[in-house]
Amino acid sequence: MRKIVWIMAVVVLAGCSEQPAGEMKSFPLSDVKLAEGSPFYRAQQADMHYMLAIDPDRLLAPYLTEAGLSPRKKGYGNWEGTGLNGHIGGHYLSALAFMYASAGNEELLERLNYMIDWLGKCQEEHGNGYVGGVPGSEALWEQIAAGNIQAEPFSLNGAWVPWYNLHKVFAGLRDAWEVTGIVKARDILTGLADWCYRLTENLTDEQMQDMLRCEHGGMNEVLADVYRITGDEKYLALARKFSHREILIPLMEGKDELTGKHANTQIPKVIGYRRIAELGNDTAWAQAAEFFWQTVVRNRTFVIGGNSNNEHFHAPGRFERVMHSTTGPETCNTYNMLRLTGMLYLAQPDARYMDFYERALYNHILTTQHPDGGFVYFTPLRPRHYRVYSRPDSCFWCCVGSGLENHGKYGEMIYAHNNKELYVNLFIPSTLHWKEKDLVLEQVTDFPLEDQTELRFSLKKDTRFVLYIRNPRWVRSGELAVQVNGEPVATEWLNSSWVAIDRNWKNNDVVSVYLPMHTYYETLPNTRNWIAFLHGPLVLASVTDTTDLEGLFAGSGRNDHMPSGPRYPLEETPTIAPVSPGFISEVKPVEGKPLTFRMPGLIEQEEYRNLELVPFYTVHEARYMIYWPVSRSSVMNELPARE
């Protein structure tokens, strides 16, 4: 581990603008390459191998069937064969586009073009712009067009969430066009949007809102995106028509009425509200999306960055009940919360968005893929429980679809920019090509194994711009330090969250950033009787045992995504002994084992005192502890939620 000697404190100056100079943008995935060796790179590669193990012809089977064509191969089973047929095919389009842009494997692009060619043939066969794998499509959509609507939360006229299913196709075609530039994907997308417009044209507002009681994904977002792509106002109007007011109106009024609602039904709706606000200059809708983000992150989120239990938002004051559950936060929820977070950040680059993004990225998204491939649906927080992993031949849950996408787009928010400023949001080893500035920026680091990073500049000519480096919430006040070419520099601060360096950058300039990490704790929200340990941005967990891991790698059963092994009694859970202020000093690093800690003086039961705390993203195929119960005789109620 490299160490830099810091000989001068950062100088704090006033006068830094609080607004970015121009529209904030993320960089195309093709312009950010992950460095080999990091946990994110390894996750990217595992995802790519899993992706290539899936047969496109089997994913296409539902689409060909609905178009009256003979499938080239038998379709997959599990959720793909029991009513949600075709949903993974839509996710697969997005995942192929993201991974091709990130990793550059030509086989991915070949598969993407192959999928799109066949979807185009299916659309031609339908003859009305439609393409989808929803079983019984023709009869279903005829009923909907006629205003015969029978909606339940997960059923529309007897079909399993058909608009949710179709949203994946819309999104996949959009991503194939915007990420890889495949013109045919854009043409199929606009044809599908036209079909949707005609289908719903004669439905009353009451009928639309009734229909939207059934989970429908982010239909409002993708239709707004079609407006952005084409400039045709009818699609923006259609996006508003697909916006569920039962959720929107309370959010506009600043009311949290989410308790008991299916979490991942709501988050994509809010992403759509934010996209419509962006494209339609609607402040009220933008504020509704911001309020949703605030209440979910502040009042409904666990230490790993995930939210909800058993797919639903629990009451904010009932977090402790989740410790009894064997389900826990769902991966799709965090996938969508990160999408919303990225949108809010680009609208206003507040570091609190990136603090949450980093927390959820390291401690939920990165943890939801097995090192050899396989995706997690639920992450149980119950002490001494475990996760279940998918297999590419038998498991086609929603979190497999979002999982395929997650690990192929790690590069999307490491950096951001406008015409005069470059933001370094995340400390992930990577190489950025900022084409407008003819700059290649290499971020060299072993973070989080080391608490520093270097930014190395390659420029053909001197270029002036402001470099913003995020000052993370987990760095103690005044401890972040910066050098340029080995010399401490005077810097400006923006809201104590960004350090700004405004200079004429030259070839071979090197910026060194020191990010000291400390060990601390957070309590379970709204209770002092459960705590979790962290080091820097990393949630620490302990492996307790590897027994009774039934169904560790899931089969094809409808509910095989849920861990079916026995629940170990909570009364036998390792317990933190009575503590007092300053107890965190008892969590001590283990010599010779990076990011590994022990706390024998804090654990009540002798048999558990040798347990080690390690980053949760390294824990797999095991039962684990994230939250620890604290002895009832402790004085935890007198302690702050975080040191």
Side-chain angles (χ1 to χ4, degrees), residues 167-400:
H167 163 250
K168 310 311 170 196
V169 185
F170 272 95
L173 292 167
R174 173 201 62 197
D175 294 334
W177 160 243
E178 295 196 326
V179 176
T180 62
I182 298 175
V183 174
K184 192 168 188 177
R186 181 199 62 195
D187 295 342
I188 298 171
L189 173 63
T190 54
L192 185 58
D194 285 339
W195 165 84
C196 181
Y197 180 84
R198 292 190 298 270
L199 181 84
T200 59
E201 188 173 15
N202 295 322
L203 295 183
T204 67
D205 189 59
E206 291 75 18
Q207 288 171 324
M208 282 295 300
Q209 291 301 310
D210 183 32
M211 183 173 68
L212 296 179
R213 292 190 301 112
C214 179
E215 185 178 12
H216 52 275
M219 281 297 301
N220 55 352
E221 182 211 3
V222 290
L223 291 167
D225 284 335
V226 177
Y227 160 68
R228 177 169 50 82
I229 292 167
T230 64
D232 191 331
E233 293 279 352
K234 74 178 183 183
Y235 300 121
L236 185 59
L238 186 58
R240 290 185 181 275
K241 193 173 182 178
F242 264 90
S243 293
H244 193 198
R245 290 201 296 272
E246 181 182 320
I247 301 302
L248 173 62
I249 291 174
L251 295 175
M252 292 174 68
E253 296 172 349
K255 297 177 182 177
D256 179 351
E257 297 182 358
L258 300 174
T259 298
K261 288 184 168 60
H262 187 255
N264 199 48
T265 295
Q266 317 315 325
I267 306 170
K269 297 175 188 177
V270 179
I271 294 172
Y273 303 156
R274 187 62 188 81
R275 180 70 80 215
I276 292 167
E278 170 192 326
L279 298 173
N281 298 313
D282 194 318
T283 302
W285 285 41
Q287 290 173 344
E290 169 66 22
F291 175 78
F292 176 88
W293 187 90
Q294 290 282 359
T295 192
V296 171
V297 170
R298 291 181 177 180
N299 303 324
R300 297 179 177 277
T301 296
F302 296 93
V303 68
I304 62 171
N307 63 74
S308 80
N309 181 56
N310 197 25
E311 302 187 357
H312 290 72
F313 285 124
H314 59 280
R318 300 294 178 89
F319 276 84
E320 194 163 3
R321 288 189 175 184
V322 182
M323 298 300 102
H324 296 259
S325 173
T326 58
T327 57
E330 178 188 356
T331 303
C332 281
N333 288 7
T334 303
Y335 157 88
N336 277 313
M337 281 300 294
L338 291 188
R339 293 198 65 237
L340 177 61
T341 303
M343 293 170 70
L344 294 172
Y345 167 79
L346 292 175
Q348 176 57 52
D350 191 321
R352 66 197 166 115
Y353 296 127
M354 282 298 108
D355 285 334
F356 169 76
Y357 197 101
E358 179 183 59
R359 173 72 69 91
L361 197 70
Y362 271 100
N363 302 298
H364 198 195
I365 296 300
L366 187 59
T367 71
T368 57
Q369 182 179 230
H370 189 277
D372 296 327
F375 305 110
V376 170
Y377 195 114
F378 288 126
T379 297
L381 298 174
R382 179 187 175 94
R384 300 181 69 199
H385 215 62
Y386 65 100
R387 292 160 294 174
V388 167
Y389 305 93
S390 69
R391 295 188 297 182
D393 60 339
S394 60
C395 304
F396 295 93
W397 328 312
C398 55
C399 293
V400 169

Side-chain angles (χ1 to χ4, degrees), residues 415-435:
Y415 310 98
H417 72 104
N418 53 44
N419 58 340
K420 295 182 179 179
E421 299 166 342
L422 175 63
Y423 285 70
V424 178
N425 301 319
L426 300 169
F427 310 110
I428 295 176
S430 53
T431 300
L432 164 68
H433 186 189
W434 190 3
K435 293 175 181 175

Side-chain angles (χ1 to χ4, degrees), residues 80-207:
E80 273 290 306
T82 54
L84 211 54
N85 311 32
H87 78 123
I88 295 294
H91 278 294
Y92 197 61
L93 297 177
S94 296
L96 288 169
F98 297 149
M99 190 64 78
Y100 172 69
S102 296
N105 185 324
E106 290 297 326
E107 186 176 354
L108 300 168
L109 183 60
E110 291 171 7
R111 288 194 179 206
L112 183 56
N113 276 302
Y114 181 81
M115 293 277 293
I116 290 170
D117 284 345
W118 273 107
L119 291 177
K121 293 174 184 177
C122 291
Q123 190 176 57
E124 290 174 8
E125 200 66 27
H126 282 287
N128 60 358
Y130 177 72
V131 57
V134 178
S137 295
E138 185 174 353
L140 170 68
W141 300 124
E142 284 180 359
Q143 293 170 9
I144 299 303
N148 177 11
I149 295 170
Q150 302 169 43
E152 300 293 339
F154 307 113
S155 172
L156 181 62
N157 290 44
W160 187 5
V161 293
W163 284 117
Y164 168 94
N165 188 338
L166 206 57
H167 163 250
K168 310 311 170 196
V169 185
F170 272 95
L173 292 167
R174 173 201 62 197
D175 294 334
W177 160 243
E178 295 196 326
V179 176
T180 62
I182 298 175
V183 174
K184 192 168 188 177
R186 181 199 62 195
D187 295 342
I188 298 171
L189 173 63
T190 54
L192 185 58
D194 285 339
W195 165 84
C196 181
Y197 180 84
R198 292 190 298 270
L199 181 84
T200 59
E201 188 173 15
N202 295 322
L203 295 183
T204 67
D205 189 59
E206 291 75 18
Q207 288 171 324

